């Protein structure tokens, strides 16, 4: 073995390199902490995806309502030379008072305030209702609720008799008549919200001997998209299955949106119906049936199923299987309404 003090160095392949341990520490630490350069566009792409997931936290209808509410608020601010973002609690308090004076319902005003808070949080500002001086704003909102209180006005339910009359207002075998009858029948028979109705696709419909199985995806109370299965009976009076099969047979589409938009010439398009189109359809059917269309809306179909099933003695739990309400409080109101005159305490002497 060669003496390490020998001035003649060993061959390169066998050379011993003696390095003090302290010399390794700063070099390794420096390399570990050196930041990795971000590739161009990655931050923007990831930000866009994060924003998309944030938007998905709320239903499309909520986004549209919030956008409309925010426009109303910012327009109001512009007319007064006020800054809408960030807004003070006092500014929002003046705004809600103005809305109340215009006859807006407490529910609408509360949604406006929620929209204002949503847009503040989206820009990393504190919502006006969460500010330290928001006490007077909350008192004003409470006063509006008290002064405008009373029973909540609900749209009229399209029960079995009303829906039967509505179906009769779209006679014939034309594409539009077939579609409109199917929309009304399925909307009521499956107790669907209008957003759920227009979100149906061909592949979520399963034909079974008893009627239909429909898979409901994302909905107002199912933001986690767990999905739910709804059973729709064949039916002999309103015949939802027959109406749906007639529409699907005439449309001839084997994928995509179940209920499609039609052109003015009644030609089929690839686009699904909008939820607003459902509301207009229900009101048009009510008008043609000789009813006050102002009393009806898209929700009338869902309410119609619950009203009719409660009147016929269905239990809350069987109603819940179809309606998919998370709690039974709302359903209990339908049952109480149906049973108000059943076994009445005054029966026999009034």
């Amino acid at each position: 073995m060669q003496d390490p003090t020998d001035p003649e160095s060993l061959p390169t392949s066998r050379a011993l390199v003696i390095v003090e341990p302290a010399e390794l520490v700063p070099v390794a630490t420096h390399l570990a902490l050196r930041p990795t350069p971000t590739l161009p566009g990655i931050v923007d792409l990831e930000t866009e995806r994060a924003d998309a997931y944030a938007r998905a936290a709320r239903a499309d209808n909520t986004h549209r309502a919030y956008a409309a509410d925010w426009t109303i608020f910012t327009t109001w601010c512009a007319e007064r030379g006020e800054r809408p973002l960030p807004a003070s609690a006092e500014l929002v308090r003046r705004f809600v008072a103005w809305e109340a004076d215009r006859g807006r319902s407490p529910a609408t005003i509360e949604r406006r305030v929620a929209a204002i808070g949503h847009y503040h949080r989206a820009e990393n500002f504190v919502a006006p209702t969460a500010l330290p001086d928001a006490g007077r704003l909350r008192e004003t909102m409470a006063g509006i609720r008290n002064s405008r209180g009373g029973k909540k006005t609900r749209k009229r339910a399209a029960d079995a008799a009303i829906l039967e009359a509505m179906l009769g207002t779209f006679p014939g075998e034309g594409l539009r008549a077939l579609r409109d009858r199917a929309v009304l029948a399925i909307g009521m028979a499956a107790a669907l919200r209008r957003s759920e109705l227009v979100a149906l696709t061909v592949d979520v419909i399963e034909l079974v001997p008893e009627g239909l199985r429909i898979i409901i995806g994302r909905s107002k109370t199912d933001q986690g998209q767990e999905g739910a299965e709804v059973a729709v009976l064949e039916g002999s009076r309103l015949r939802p299955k027959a109406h749906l099969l007639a529409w699907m047979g005439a449309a001839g589409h084997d994928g995509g949106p179940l209920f499609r938009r039609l052109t003015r010439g009644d030609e089929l398009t690839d686009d699904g119906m909008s939820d607003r189109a459902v509301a207009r359809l229900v009101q048009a059917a009510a008008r043609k049936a000789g009813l006050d269309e102002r009393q009806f809306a898209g929700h009338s179909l869902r309410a119609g199923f619950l009203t009719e099933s409660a009147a016929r003695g269905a239990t809350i739990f069987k109603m819940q299987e179809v309606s998919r309400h998370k709690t039974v409080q709302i359903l209990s109101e339908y049952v109480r309404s149906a049973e108000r005159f059943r076994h009445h305490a005054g029966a026999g002497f009034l």
Side-chain angles (χ1 to χ4, degrees):
M1 181 174 180
Q2 185 175 355
D3 187 345
T5 61
D6 191 335
E8 183 181 350
S9 60
L10 294 172
T12 304
S13 61
R14 299 173 57 197
L16 296 176
V17 179
I18 300 175
V19 181
E20 291 296 328
E23 296 178 2
L24 292 173
V25 176
V27 174
T29 304
H30 173 71
L31 292 175
L33 297 179
R34 182 180 297 169
T36 302
T38 303
L39 295 177
I42 285 184
V43 173
D44 291 341
L45 177 60
E46 291 174 343
T47 300
E48 288 179 6
R49 295 303 300 147
D51 290 344
Y53 284 123
R55 288 192 296 271
R58 289 183 173 84
D60 291 341
N61 285 347
T62 303
H63 283 296
R64 282 196 292 268
Y66 277 9
D69 294 334
W70 181 245
T71 298
I72 292 171
F73 176 63
T74 55
T75 301
W76 179 87
C77 289
E79 291 173 349
R80 290 156 180 77
E82 301 282 5
R83 183 178 62 182
L85 194 69
S88 66
E90 180 60 24
L91 180 65
V92 178
R93 193 174 80 92
R94 286 167 45 204
F95 171 70
V96 299
W98 178 75
E99 283 280 83
D101 288 343
R102 294 172 66 210
R104 298 293 180 260
S105 70
T108 297
I109 296 174
E110 287 176 352
R111 194 193 65 220
R112 301 255 205 269
V113 173
I116 293 169
H118 167 74
Y119 280 94
H120 274 68
R121 288 187 293 272
E123 297 297 328
N124 294 321
F125 290 115
V126 177
T129 53
L131 292 171
D133 61 345
R136 296 188 68 199
L137 170 58
R138 289 191 289 270
E139 288 181 0
T140 300
M141 289 298 301
I144 291 173
R145 285 190 293 270
N146 290 337
S147 63
R148 299 288 305 280
K151 186 177 179 180
K152 183 179 178 180
T153 302
R154 290 181 176 175
K155 294 296 183 180
R156 188 174 176 184
D159 58 20
I162 290 176
L163 192 73
E164 190 173 27
M166 286 182 170
L167 292 172
T169 64
F170 299 106
E173 300 303 313
L175 203 58
R176 187 176 297 274
L178 291 171
R179 185 203 65 178
D180 291 350
R181 291 199 297 265
V183 169
L184 294 174
I186 294 297
M188 192 269 203
L192 296 176
R193 301 176 179 89
R194 60 181 186 174
S195 59
E196 296 169 343
L197 188 56
V198 298
L200 293 178
T201 54
V202 174
D203 60 349
V204 303
I205 306 297
E206 180 184 354
L207 304 180
V208 295
E210 300 85 359
L212 303 167
R213 283 199 185 100
I214 301 178
I215 304 300
I216 308 298
R218 175 177 174 175
S219 67
K220 180 179 179 181
T221 57
D222 182 31
Q223 296 296 308
Q225 301 191 56
E226 297 176 2
E229 181 181 291
V230 176
V232 175
L233 292 177
E234 173 94 31
S236 59
R237 180 181 179 185
L238 303 178
R239 302 182 304 118
K241 181 179 180 179
H243 286 302
L244 181 62
L245 292 180
W247 155 246
M248 295 179 69
H253 56 320
D254 56 3
L258 179 62
F259 296 116
R260 304 288 185 89
R261 184 179 64 82
L262 302 177
T263 66
R264 293 184 181 274
D266 286 356
E267 295 179 352
L268 191 70
T269 71
D270 294 332
D271 302 325
M273 291 180 67
S274 70
D275 59 343
R276 296 177 183 176
V278 173
R280 290 194 295 268
L281 171 61
V282 172
Q283 290 181 328
R287 182 177 63 254
K288 291 181 178 181
L291 302 169
D292 184 354
E293 65 181 281
R294 295 170 298 180
Q295 297 180 2
F296 294 87
H299 186 70
S300 296
L301 300 178
R302 179 172 168 84
F305 177 88
L306 297 174
T307 298
E308 189 69 36
S309 58
R312 293 176 180 271
T315 67
I316 284 181
F317 302 106
K318 295 304 291 185
M319 293 164 62
Q320 190 178 29
E321 284 182 4
V322 181
S323 69
R324 295 156 287 112
H325 280 95
K326 293 297 184 182
T327 62
V328 299
Q329 278 79 4
I330 295 177
L331 295 176
S332 63
E333 179 58 31
Y334 285 98
V335 174
R336 283 194 296 269
S337 179
E339 295 182 345
R340 200 151 279 141
F341 288 92
R342 189 179 300 165
H343 306 301
H344 194 280
F349 70 85
L350 290 181

